[in-house]
Amino acid sequence: MVMGPTSAPLTCPEPREAHHGNRTSASRNLVPQVAVAGESRRAPPPTRGDSKMYSQRFGIVQREVKGPTPKVVIVRAKPPKGQGAEHHLERIRRSHQKRHAILASIKSNERDRLKAEWDQHNDRKFVDSLVKARVQDAMQGFIINTEERRNK
């Protein structure tokens, strides 16, 4: 393994290159420890309640990690956003599918409404024509009966 001038691995920045930020000692204790080769990993100190940071409680990976020496912080690279475009296209495709499904449902409902309206119209025409025919038959029978009585 290649070592730097402070005998730390090259993946760890030198103390003068480290990012210190304005972190308090309380927040420094919340950053998970990095095991150095040959050392056993210590158990984290006991916590009380929800004293962990939001990112530690809900599983977001910390980008800043304490290094093996004091005042050294290792900064992890950001994870690549490899599926950004594909995810966006998938979301657009799903929204188009939903839109087409809604439009198809609207067309189907309109078609069903028109069918029901057409059936009601045809039923009404049928009943009206049936009533007219029966009234016409009754009138014809009345006229014939009247003619027969007049002829006697």
Side-chain angles (χ1 to χ4, degrees):
M1 174 180 269
V2 179
M3 301 295 237
T6 60
S7 73
L10 282 182
T11 57
C12 176
E14 301 237 355
R16 64 181 174 271
E17 299 171 353
H19 171 68
H20 300 291
N22 55 359
R23 297 174 8 165
T24 63
S25 61
S27 67
R28 207 173 296 130
N29 291 336
L30 295 176
V31 177
Q33 297 289 323
V34 176
V36 179
E39 282 187 21
S40 62
R41 191 174 180 111
R42 290 183 291 174
T47 59
R48 55 190 163 140
D50 284 344
S51 63
K52 289 184 177 181
M53 290 188 295
Y54 179 88
S55 59
Q56 288 175 332
R57 279 185 280 156
F58 296 104
I60 299 171
V61 176
Q62 290 286 52
R63 291 198 56 217
E64 293 182 356
V65 180
K66 279 178 65 175
T69 59
K71 298 184 180 179
V72 173
V73 176
I74 298 171
V75 179
R76 292 183 182 149
K78 286 186 178 179
K81 293 183 179 179
Q83 296 186 6
E86 291 91 11
H87 180 67
H88 184 64
L89 290 174
E90 179 68 22
R91 207 169 62 225
I92 290 172
R93 188 181 63 77
R94 268 184 277 149
S95 69
H96 282 278
Q97 282 180 342
K98 285 179 186 177
R99 181 177 180 272
H100 288 300
I102 290 170
L103 288 176
S105 172
I106 289 171
K107 282 184 180 179
S108 173
N109 290 344
E110 183 68 16
R111 188 172 42 248
D112 292 345
R113 186 189 64 79
L114 286 174
K115 280 182 184 178
E117 193 176 294
W118 179 253
D119 285 341
Q120 286 177 352
H121 176 71
N122 283 342
D123 289 345
R124 198 174 298 125
K125 274 184 13 179
F126 175 75
V127 169
D128 286 347
S129 64
L130 186 64
V131 167
K132 280 183 184 177
R134 292 219 175 138
V135 167
Q136 187 68 28
D137 285 345
M139 288 295 288
Q140 196 79 349
F142 179 75
I143 291 174
I144 291 175
N145 192 10
T146 306
E147 291 287 327
E148 285 179 358
R149 277 190 289 144
R150 196 176 291 157
N151 288 337
K152 284 188 182 181

